[in-house]
Amino acid sequence: DAGVTQSPTHLIKTRGQQVTLRCSPKSGHDTVSWYQQALGQGPQFIFQYYEEEERQRGNFPDRFSGHQFPNYSSELNVNALLLGDSALYLCASSLDGREGLFSSYEQYFGPGTRLTVT
Amino acid sequence: SQKIEQNSEALNIQEGKTATLTCNYTNYSPAYLQWYRQDPGRGPVFLLLIRENEKEKRKERLKVTFDTTLKQSLFHITASQPADSATYLCALEGSSYKLIFGSGTRLLVRP
């Protein structure tokens, strides 16, 4: 059973460029969340996708956008890259909870994409 | 303001001892709290989830407590081993579907 996979593993971009990161969730999972993790910090929630729609967003500018496909895989797009966007980008998948409003079941994380902006 | 605080200083203990890590939060009322392990250069790995109506949860050598009055969770690893050395992250739901992580505590277990 494949876990969460992300591509690419590493990426180097120049300020002002655009980047697309990809994620395939764990088999059977229908929800994908994206996180940004700076060195020495915990992951910061960017957004979550469920049923091909963004249903929750963290405190990130509109330069960060995403998409979820019918097969539950997802993309994270970042436009107009800044030096401060350099970080490890993590994708996590989960199974949408059935317990009402608070449904954050355990998240299965991928290995991440290390983005460096120069 | 809302905060999740974990001890930023590394915890250095001798093999065989019990490691205790702390997670404090303010201005949240989480229904769940989770603990993850993260090794360098890798994604976090889920360890335990504890609900607000549970005081304690165990899994093998791991134990988590959750005190909603103190707004604190304690994470214990008994009979620690060098392989337990990693960064441990606590996380809670800041709002619907939004998981908020602490900055993590690094644990070093000396042989």
Side-chain angles (χ1 to χ4, degrees):
Chain A
D1 175 27
V4 179
T5 59
Q6 292 187 244
S7 63
T9 307
H10 296 88
L11 203 51
I12 300 175
K13 289 286 190 178
T14 304
R15 270 181 302 176
Q17 286 188 316
Q18 178 263 343
V19 69
T20 297
L21 311 182
R22 294 177 176 83
C23 171
S24 290
K26 180 179 167 62
S27 177
H29 283 183
D30 57 7
T31 303
V32 173
S33 303
W34 286 92
Y35 296 83
Q36 179 193 68
Q37 187 174 25
L39 209 58
Q41 300 296 315
Q44 299 291 309
F45 178 84
I46 301 175
F47 40 55
Q48 183 180 92
Y49 276 84
Y50 173 67
E51 292 189 338
E52 302 180 51
E53 290 195 0
E54 180 186 296
R55 70 173 174 182
Q56 183 58 274
R57 187 178 184 92
N59 190 24
F60 279 81
D62 292 344
R63 299 187 296 109
F64 289 78
S65 63
H67 190 78
Q68 185 180 34
F69 300 93
N71 66 353
Y72 307 119
S73 67
S74 177
E75 288 182 349
L76 164 65
N77 300 293
V78 187
N79 294 323
L81 284 166
L82 304 174
L83 294 179
D85 295 332
S86 295
L88 181 67
Y89 287 85
L90 295 162
C91 167
S93 72
S94 55
L95 190 59
D96 182 64
R98 301 291 183 263
E99 294 187 357
L101 195 62
F102 294 104
S103 59
S104 74
Y105 279 65
E106 55 192 83
Q107 309 263 307
Y108 286 77
F109 282 84
T113 294
R114 172 70 63 187
L115 173 65
T116 302
V117 182
T118 62
Chain B
S1 64
Q2 294 177 316
K3 281 187 198 175
I4 303 176
E5 292 181 321
Q6 294 185 257
N7 196 337
S8 58
E9 283 187 26
L11 179 62
N12 200 325
I13 64 169
Q14 186 72 41
E15 181 176 7
K17 301 291 187 184
T18 296
T20 298
L21 307 177
T22 304
C23 176
N24 295 300
Y25 60 92
T26 54
N27 294 321
Y28 287 111
S29 297
Y32 302 88
L33 192 142
Q34 303 181 26
W35 283 88
Y36 289 79
R37 168 187 172 138
Q38 187 172 27
D39 292 286
R42 308 189 73 165
V45 174
F46 172 81
L47 296 175
L48 281 167
L49 179 152
I50 186 166
R51 300 167 196 237
E52 60 180 338
N53 60 351
E54 297 175 319
K55 296 296 183 189
E56 179 180 300
K57 202 151 190 184
R58 293 174 186 260
K59 179 182 174 183
E60 299 172 353
R61 295 184 296 110
L62 308 181
K63 184 178 87 171
V64 171
T65 62
F66 190 12
D67 189 326
T68 55
T69 302
L70 289 179
K71 296 187 181 295
Q72 181 181 79
S73 176
L74 299 178
F75 176 81
H76 306 272
I77 305 176
T78 58
S80 59
Q81 304 166 0
D84 295 326
S85 298
T87 295
Y88 291 86
L89 300 157
C90 71
L92 52 79
E93 282 212 292
S95 60
S96 304
Y97 312 117
K98 184 176 174 180
L99 201 59
I100 308 298
F101 281 84
S103 56
T105 298
R106 198 155 66 103
L107 173 66
L108 299 170
V109 182
R110 302 189 309 275

